[in-house]
Amino acid sequence: MTHVYGHRGAAGEAPENTLAGYRYAYGLGVRFLELDVHLTKDGKLAVIHDETLDRTTNGKGHVGGYEMDELCEFDAGALFPKFKGASIPSFPEVLEEFAEKMEGFQVEIKTDRPFILDIVCRQVADALRDFGISGKVVVTSFDPYAIRAMRRIAPSQRCGLISMQYRESDVRLAKDLGCWNTCIPLKTGGSAGLVDLAHDFGLEVTGWLGNSIEDIDALLEWRVDSITTNYPSIALPHLRNLGHLDSERVARG
């Protein structure tokens, strides 16, 4: 079976990294969720991909320049008119609603200064422990420091290395960092050979992004273990038809 992670929920179909977007994804059958966290001015974790508000909200400036209560006031549904009014959630808010509903998470820690990453990793680890879901979460990052920090803070936490221009050296780095997973891109350096090498090193592989039937088929040929998609309305039915999803499990509410 191939797990499908809703990338930022369903980033191509609903406001990314919002409760509204996650609810939409869940309604499609998404049971594995990928999301991103940033530290706010008042030391909380906001769930948003970019370090700035400009692309996905009606706000301006850096996420870290605002307190969490201020971030909640921005409209994060700006790119999807029917979701107007969707807001930026905090990490605990997301877990409060979806910790039990989802079968797995990838929580991406964005690249930042080391002292910020230490704080973010501590808060992520504490939240996963408090909600009792550490075992079904992979903490991912492009930043090796973030992975080292997470493994120092929570040695048993599963981690995954992401790389945009993926090379053999990234597989070896993931292994050296003690990762459980690595995220290999379809279109910027990934290959079936790199997936095989990662498997030889004992790493679970997430392929990204499976945004079309052709992309999904290519990732399946690479024999990835999971696929991240912006379009679960395309990915889930296709994989189900191919027998790569447990339809009964996905159908449960």
Side-chain angles (χ1 to χ4, degrees), residues 180-214:
W180 180 80
N181 165 281
T182 189
C183 302
I184 297 183
L186 177 63
K187 298 182 178 179
T188 55
S191 68
L194 289 174
V195 174
D196 288 342
L197 180 61
H199 284 156
D200 289 344
F201 284 177
L203 296 166
E204 193 241 28
V205 176
T206 299
W208 58 284
L209 288 162
N211 283 342
S212 68
I213 288 174
E214 293 76 17

Side-chain angles (χ1 to χ4, degrees), residues 125-232:
D126 288 349
L128 299 183
R129 183 200 62 227
D130 291 346
F131 281 89
I133 60 170
S134 300
K136 64 178 184 180
V137 175
V138 182
V139 176
T140 65
S141 186
F142 285 88
D143 194 323
Y145 183 91
I147 293 173
R148 292 189 184 99
M150 178 57 68
R151 288 187 51 74
R152 182 177 68 251
I153 291 165
S156 63
Q157 181 61 55
R158 291 176 171 180
C159 294
L161 178 69
I162 318 171
S163 178
M164 184 64 72
Q165 304 294 331
Y166 208 94
R167 299 179 175 87
E168 181 178 328
S169 58
D170 293 305
V171 182
R172 299 187 183 280
L173 177 59
K175 179 65 174 176
D176 291 344
L177 290 169
C179 288
W180 180 80
N181 165 281
T182 189
C183 302
I184 297 183
L186 177 63
K187 298 182 178 179
T188 55
S191 68
L194 289 174
V195 174
D196 288 342
L197 180 61
H199 284 156
D200 289 344
F201 284 177
L203 296 166
E204 193 241 28
V205 176
T206 299
W208 58 284
L209 288 162
N211 283 342
S212 68
I213 288 174
E214 293 76 17
D215 291 346
I216 293 163
D217 288 344
L219 290 170
L220 291 176
E221 288 181 6
W222 287 7
R223 297 183 298 279
V224 300
D225 304 290
S226 56
I227 292 174
T228 306
T229 182
N230 289 332
Y231 297 93

